[in-house]
């Protein structure tokens, strides 16, 4: 099946929070990047949270998610003040960057609208039709996109767990659906 054939809510290929992709366990760190490399996917893979909320996730809550799980990661603000951040980096204690996260809201020009239109075009030939209809109805409600660029730090000790804790914290705060490059979409409960 092509990536677009796997894009529908009742056919998602990944499973949060226990793993990034079914069969690639976060705890055992079974090679997601090896999967990307062997499948010919580019490094710097993206996962997105498509949220109907304009709420800015609290960095304090994200940091608490890391510390309460005793994970060796930290959040570094790259753009904007803490309360209105637009870009953060998730950094492993070794200094390796696990992920860069951009927060793009509908009030920031047409970027969100352009991405939503691209997603709508990508799914229009997918099946089943009921899932296409559900996703087509959901996408116009998206107000903010959190784009996680996965980087080499995911392969550091507990890198995937760090990523999962940050992703889960943001998702819990803003809701929405999750989209992963070359994999597809989840439904609202991830």
């Amino acid at each position: 099946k092509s990536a677009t054939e796997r894009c529908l809510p009742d056919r998602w290929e990944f499973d949060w929070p226990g793993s990034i992709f079914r069969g690639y366990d976060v705890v055992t760190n079974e090679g997601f990047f090896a999967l990307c490399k062997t499948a010919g996917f580019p490094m710097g893979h993206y996962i997105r949270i498509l949220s109907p909320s304009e709420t800015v996730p609290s960095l304090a809550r994200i940091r608490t998610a890391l510390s309460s799980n005793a994970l060796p990661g930290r959040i570094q603000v790259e753009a904007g003040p803490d309360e209105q951040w637009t870009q953060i980096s998730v950094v492993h204690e070794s200094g390796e960057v696990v992920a860069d996260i951009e927060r793009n809201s509908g009030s920031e020009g047409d970027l969100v609208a352009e991405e939503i239109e691209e997603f709508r075009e990508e799914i229009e030939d997918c099946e089943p039709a009921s899932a296409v209809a559900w996703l087509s109805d959901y996408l116009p409600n998206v107000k903010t996109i959190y784009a996680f660029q996965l980087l080499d730090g995911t392969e550091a000790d507990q890198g995937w767990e760090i990523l999962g804790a940050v992703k889960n914290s943001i998702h819990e705060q803003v809701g929405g659906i999750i989209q992963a490059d070359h994999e597809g979409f989840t439904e609202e409960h991830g």
Side-chain angles (χ1 to χ4, degrees):
K1 294 176 185 164
S2 71
T4 54
E5 288 174 317
R6 297 189 310 262
C7 70
L8 305 168
D10 58 355
R11 293 180 151 201
W12 62 84
E13 298 281 328
F14 55 100
D15 186 10
W16 295 94
S19 64
I20 301 297
F21 292 91
R22 192 163 286 134
Y24 296 90
D25 188 18
V26 174
V27 175
T28 60
N29 200 25
E30 292 180 31
F32 173 73
F33 279 106
L35 168 69
C36 289
K37 289 175 186 172
T38 58
F41 299 157
M43 297 306 290
H45 189 80
Y46 281 86
I47 294 175
R48 295 168 186 84
I49 297 174
L50 309 175
S51 175
S53 173
E54 291 180 329
T55 300
V56 178
S58 161
L59 293 178
R61 284 184 61 186
I62 297 169
R63 289 176 175 129
T64 298
L66 290 169
S67 64
S68 67
N69 289 298
L71 294 170
R74 62 183 165 80
I75 301 299
Q76 181 174 307
V77 178
E78 302 293 344
D82 281 8
E83 305 79 28
Q84 292 294 316
W85 63 269
T86 56
Q87 184 176 357
I88 58 176
S89 292
V90 181
V91 183
H92 190 276
E93 69 181 6
S94 68
E96 289 184 88
V97 180
V98 173
D100 284 330
I101 305 170
E102 281 188 29
R103 181 179 63 83
N104 298 299
S105 66
S107 61
E108 297 170 8
D110 294 327
L111 182 61
V112 171
E114 287 174 21
E115 285 209 47
I116 296 306
E117 186 55 34
E118 287 177 25
F119 289 136
R120 291 181 81 169
E121 289 172 9
E122 179 181 314
I123 65 167
E124 60 187 20
D125 294 326
C126 292
E127 293 183 0
S130 61
V132 172
W134 179 88
L135 195 51
S136 294
D137 287 344
Y138 185 88
L139 289 172
N141 298 310
V142 171
K143 295 180 180 167
T144 308
I145 297 176
Y146 299 86
F148 293 63
Q149 181 182 19
L150 309 188
L151 300 169
D152 290 339
T154 55
E155 293 298 321
D157 182 43
Q158 294 186 297
W160 286 109
E161 288 114 323
I162 293 167
L163 175 67
V166 172
K167 193 269 328 154
N168 290 342
S169 178
I170 292 173
H171 190 243
E172 288 167 5
Q173 293 181 62
V174 301
I177 62 175
I178 299 167
Q179 180 274 336
D181 287 353
H182 309 290
E183 291 297 324
F185 298 84
T186 67
E187 42 84 39
E188 289 178 285
H189 303 290

